[in-house]
Amino acid sequence: MNVFTSKTELAKFLDQERIKDKNIGFVPTMGALHQGHLSLIQESKKRTSLTVCSIYVNPTQFNVQSDLKNYPRNTAKDIELLDAENCDVCFLPSTNEIYPNGVAKLLNIDLGGLDKRMEGKHRPGHFDGVVTVVNNLFKIINPDIAFFGEKDFQQLAVIRKMTQVLNINVEITGCPIIRDPGGLAMSSRNEMLTDQEWLAAPFIHNTLLEAKDLNGTIQEKIDLVIKQFENHALFTLDYFDIASERTLKPSIEESSEAQRAFIAAFIGNIRLIDNIALNN
Ligand code: PAF
């Protein structure tokens, strides 16, 4: 695997590969790689002829400084995992490479409100940081297809919208959530859970399944989830929303449009998110 820290060197390498008619798949990550990330690499390897994975813990998408400080980092192990998947390129940029004009200068575009709900509302400024870093990475890598996990379903919608607004010629592909055997959605943050928290954590997915299976109104599903969390000793619910997959606007009643349930919850200091399709 080729490892680059310089964006100029990486862009030069990719230009040479493009001349050989390679199409480029891109998997942006913040490292602490797990099976969810590796499934994106595998999908990219299937769909493209050259896969680039970036590892960069993006400071501008963290609205809480302690969260940025505690975010797990293990680059040596990440490189081993990428090597084992035959990933072609790993890009490990510094902040100077990604933000040559400084981290204060963020992209300011109209995302049609997709960035204002749920994660956007509960983590102010989060999506400004996400779209800025992804746009900067796209400018360097110029991928044909970029792969994102559906665990961050809202992020996927926001990035799709960003590519439309900025007219970026890239296909955005969403890939299914990968879960551990207990049902916990794979996340780099899972590494920070204590054994007790990790054993309890499948509660999030189980509650989503209960809400999905409940034969009732949207409000009844919401009430069920709130009650389940109120009764749980370890969890605090941050939000639970049922929303349209297209607009991410809260659904008032069931409709033929694809709807999804979205959740964020704290266990100790760790904030986990998950989601589930309801009617598709
Ligand atoms: O999903 C993530 O890991 C990050 O939000 C991303 C897309 C790599 C941007 O920093």
Side-chain angles (χ1 to χ4, degrees):
M1 182 170 66
N2 293 286
V3 179
F4 292 91
T5 53
S6 149
K7 64 179 173 193
T8 317
E9 295 290 308
L10 171 62
K12 213 161 72 186
F13 172 83
L14 293 176
D15 281 346
Q16 282 158 3
E17 294 300 308
R18 259 184 222 102
I19 295 170
K20 298 181 207 156
D21 254 4
K22 296 255 172 100
N23 69 331
I24 294 169
F26 177 41
V27 180
T29 80
M30 298 206 297
L33 301 182
H34 49 69
Q35 287 305 319
H37 295 116
L38 300 184
S39 74
L40 304 180
I41 303 285
Q42 287 154 10
E43 191 57 23
S44 174
K45 300 251 346 150
K46 266 191 234 150
R47 303 262 327 269
T48 68
S49 47
L50 189 147
T51 293
V52 181
C53 175
S54 65
I55 299 178
Y56 176 64
V57 182
N58 173 35
T60 64
Q61 70 187 77
F62 288 82
N63 56 321
V64 174
Q65 282 314 297
S66 57
D67 190 23
L68 170 61
K69 187 168 156 272
N70 297 331
Y71 198 82
R73 293 161 169 90
N74 197 342
T75 310
K77 185 171 159 226
D78 289 346
I79 290 178
E80 272 176 31
L81 289 169
L82 291 175
D83 241 340
E85 293 297 333
N86 294 319
C87 181
D88 302 287
V89 172
C90 174
F91 181 38
L92 294 170
S94 66
T95 292
N96 280 344
E97 292 285 291
I98 296 291
Y99 292 103
N101 303 323
V103 288
K105 209 165 172 299
L106 297 187
L107 198 60
N108 184 5
I109 52 171
D110 183 356
L111 294 160
L114 290 174
D115 56 329
K116 299 285 183 273
R117 298 175 244 289
M118 300 189 287
E119 289 302 287
K121 189 166 153 199
H122 290 255
R123 301 181 67 190
H126 170 66
F127 285 121
D128 297 336
V130 170
V131 292
T132 304
V133 78
V134 173
N135 183 42
N136 288 353
L137 287 163
F138 280 178
K139 281 196 268 190
I140 299 165
I141 291 156
N142 195 6
D144 296 284
I145 314 182
F147 299 84
F148 295 86
E150 286 188 344
K151 183 178 77 68
D152 297 293
F153 194 90
Q154 186 175 11
Q155 168 172 278
L156 181 60
V158 162
I159 288 167
R160 278 210 174 100
K161 180 75 182 176
M162 173 194 85
T163 61
Q164 282 165 15
V165 173
L166 300 179
N167 211 2
I168 303 173
N169 189 14
V170 58
E171 178 188 324
I172 302 297
T173 295
C175 299
I177 301 175
I178 305 296
R179 300 183 180 280
D180 75 11
L184 174 64
M186 297 269 182
S187 161
S188 303
R189 290 173 197 277
N190 295 354
E191 275 188 30
M192 299 189 279
L193 299 172
T194 63
D195 286 352
Q196 188 203 17
E197 289 167 346
W198 187 77
L199 282 173
F203 174 73
I204 300 179
H205 179 55
N206 291 337
T207 309
L208 286 179
L209 287 173
E210 264 188 77
K212 179 180 168 122
D213 293 345
L214 181 79
N215 192 5
T217 63
I218 288 193
Q219 192 54 51
E220 282 164 348
K221 289 177 193 278
I222 293 172
D223 292 344
L224 169 86
V225 172
I226 292 174
K227 196 159 151 261
Q228 294 287 48
F229 274 83
E230 275 171 2
N231 291 336
H232 200 290
L234 296 181
F235 277 101
T236 309
L237 186 62
D238 199 16
Y239 65 78
F240 175 72
D241 269 12
I242 293 180
S244 145
E245 286 193 359
R246 192 175 52 82
T247 64
L248 301 182
K249 284 191 184 150
S251 309
I252 296 150
E253 55 190 27
E254 274 177 65
S255 82
S256 54
E257 196 183 37
Q259 290 172 330
R260 201 167 266 260
F262 296 87
I263 197 163
F266 284 96
I267 181 159
N269 293 325
I270 317 296
R271 187 172 180 279
L272 299 175
I273 62 171
D274 201 349
N275 65 75
I276 196 166
L278 293 183
N279 55 355
N280 57 327

